[in-house]
Amino acid sequence: MRISLGFKLGIIYLILITLAMLALGTFVLNYFEETFIAEKRSSLLVHGNVIANRSAPFLRDEVDYQYLGFLARDTSEQIGNRVILLNAGKEVIADSAVGMVGDKMDNPQVNLALTGRTAGDAHYLEQFGWVYYLAVPIAAGQELLGVAFIAADINEIYEQLATIRERLLMFGFSTGIVIFAISLLLSKIITIPINRLQQGVQKMAAGEYGFQVPSSGKDELSQLAHAFNIMSKKIEKEDEIRKQFVANASHELKSPLAGMKALIESVVDTEISEEEVKEILLDMNGEIDRLNKLVTDLLALSKIENNKNILDLEEVAMGELVTEVIKRVEPLAKKKKIAIKVKGDPNIYWQLDGEMMLRAIYNVLDNAVKYSPPESEIKFNFYQKEHQLYFEVADRGMGIPEHEQDKIFDRFYRIDKARSRSTGGSGLGLSLVKEIVALHEGEIEIVSKQSQGTTFILKI
Ligand code: ADP
């Protein structure tokens, strides 16, 4: 059985209220009991003292039974309680009710009074209910002559206390019900946003990425809903990127394959000379190179994505790194008669993943060659400034418009699709550069002017 949060909260409040009511009720009842009893005691004490004073002279030398009997009955009539007088030997010498004269009374109040102190207590008796016993010593100077004993019916006090208890119970019960109902209503304020969030999570689980839940307000639940919305949007975006990536990758893989198929068909379908076959095979080789670069870049990207801790750091000598990069771009540069002017201290050593950094710088330099006009010049500087290593590649190509400068790092993004493809680019080069530089906690800056050239600055 599913117990709602609201119901649980209601029960908790109810328990708390009950405990608070019990504590309050006990305190209030004790307080009233003590006050009522104390009041009764002080009113009885006045009469007790009067009767003790009045009876003392008639107990001292010779006991005047008749007068004392009269005194007990008279006082009893006035105060409405039973009055008993005892001598120092605890023997009853006067009783406002019939019966006890001559008997001995041996109870704690009498015993205490015979030590000179006034004693009083409430008692419960089977046949009468609640009574209050007050015993006042009767003395003449230092001499203790006896005890004035008053037994008062205090059932009325306990009836009053019972009424108060009943009212407290009623009050507690009705407050409990009201608070339970209010807490159920209040809990709705909490459970409604939780239910909405739950609905949101279910939608996401069902693949409805980007689902938004209402998140107005500033409390913790609104903040949670806000965080959920951000997460949902991010997942939606990631999902779109993933779908786009798969679509782009398939498309990119398909075009060299289609190119090769067309080339093969042209060999099979038509009579061609040996010279032409050679040319076609060279074209096919170009397509295979494209395919190979694409797959290598894809693999490198997925390797970085799957494991962000793949850096294999080592002390790398810049001289070696740069020589290797130049060696790789030289064939294309030569073909386009582009001069690469290298400037930098070959003895700089830096903690790098040599393989990866080589790939990153190669991609940037390769782009510079690809997107520069023939017979132009490329400047490649590397240097250390403060605590950073800089690689600067400046070409005199067509430049990159400002609004494209962020996009060129996206996967498969090319400014001029046809041109870039014809140069053999996969469209993945700069995204790899970005990932590699980020892995080295570095950054990339682009300074570019249309038709004048572009400078890529890699700061590591
Ligand atoms: P590609 O394989 O197409 O070169 P990249 O990711 O390396 O892919 O580059 C993305 C795009 O950025 C390129 O298609 C090109 O349009 C642009 N680009 C990169 N480098 C330069 C450059 N030096 N000058 C002008 N455009 C460039």
Side-chain angles (χ1 to χ4, degrees), residues 6-34:
F7 193 77
K8 282 184 196 157
L9 278 176
I11 294 286
I12 291 171
Y13 284 137
L14 203 61
I15 292 172
L16 289 177
I17 289 289
T18 311
L19 287 177
M21 280 312 210
L22 273 179
L24 183 74
T26 315
F27 171 77
V28 168
L29 282 173
N30 278 346
Y31 173 77
F32 278 127
E33 187 176 357
E34 274 167 26

Side-chain angles (χ1 to χ4, degrees), residues 30-47:
N30 278 346
Y31 173 77
F32 278 127
E33 187 176 357
E34 274 167 26
T35 318
F36 289 166
I37 298 286
E39 258 174 36
K40 188 75 190 175
R41 179 194 163 94
S42 50
S43 82
L44 288 178
L45 201 58
V46 174
H47 299 295

Side-chain angles (χ1 to χ4, degrees), residues 367-368 370-371 395 398-400 408 413-416 420 425-431 454 456:
N367 278 347
K370 278 193 310 199
Y371 302 110
D395 62 48
M398 73 278 268
I400 302 168
I408 54 171
Y413 189 83
R414 300 174 174 108
I415 300 173
D416 179 347
S420 163
S426 66
L428 291 174
L430 284 180
S431 23
T454 308
F456 276 85

